[in-house]
Amino acid sequence: MFDFLGEPSFYIVALAGFFGGVVRGYSGFGFALAAVPILTIGLPPSVAVSAVFPLELAIGLLTLPSERKNIDFRVLRRLTFGAAIGTPFGVTVLRALPTEWMRILIGLAVAAAVVR
């Protein structure tokens, strides 16, 4: 009945969701930063990023009404502009590079974000 529970990828996804949720709940951000590296243990990076991106978007939209008063719209415009330029570039790199290289790049990006 629940054959998928025996799959290692199920446990990796559950761990990534749990850990990403804990980070997001504690800090208010960072779900993707925590979940994607864990997901890439058992899934290709293109699948991991594709799964987390809509979740992160939905989480942001759900918290928008309560956080609207705290938004600096000048900063938001710059972030939106950067995302509009960076997302197509990131998707191109994600699709073009081999899986192992993407895992290394994701790990380096997370390390850079954490160290800073």
Side-chain angles (χ1 to χ4, degrees):
M1 181 172 178
F2 292 108
D3 291 340
F4 68 92
L5 291 175
E7 294 293 322
S9 59
F10 170 80
Y11 296 105
I12 292 168
V13 170
L15 179 66
F18 176 77
F19 189 62
V22 167
V23 169
R24 173 75 183 206
Y26 179 75
S27 66
F29 67 96
F31 176 81
L33 190 67
V36 168
I38 296 170
L39 286 173
T40 61
I41 293 169
L43 301 170
S46 58
V47 173
V49 171
S50 299
V52 169
F53 185 74
L55 291 173
E56 188 69 44
L57 182 63
I59 293 167
L61 290 175
L62 286 172
T63 59
L64 181 62
S66 63
E67 295 299 323
R68 185 172 169 82
K69 61 188 173 299
N70 299 319
I71 297 172
D72 182 345
F73 284 95
R74 291 180 315 194
V75 172
L76 182 60
R77 277 193 292 276
R78 288 186 291 210
L79 287 170
T80 302
F81 179 72
I85 292 171
T87 300
F89 174 74
V91 169
T92 302
V93 170
L94 184 63
R95 294 187 76 204
L97 291 180
T99 299
E100 291 308 315
W101 286 23
M102 278 309 303
R103 285 187 175 123
I104 292 168
L105 285 175
I106 288 169
L108 290 172
V110 170
V114 172
V115 169
R116 188 167 184 254

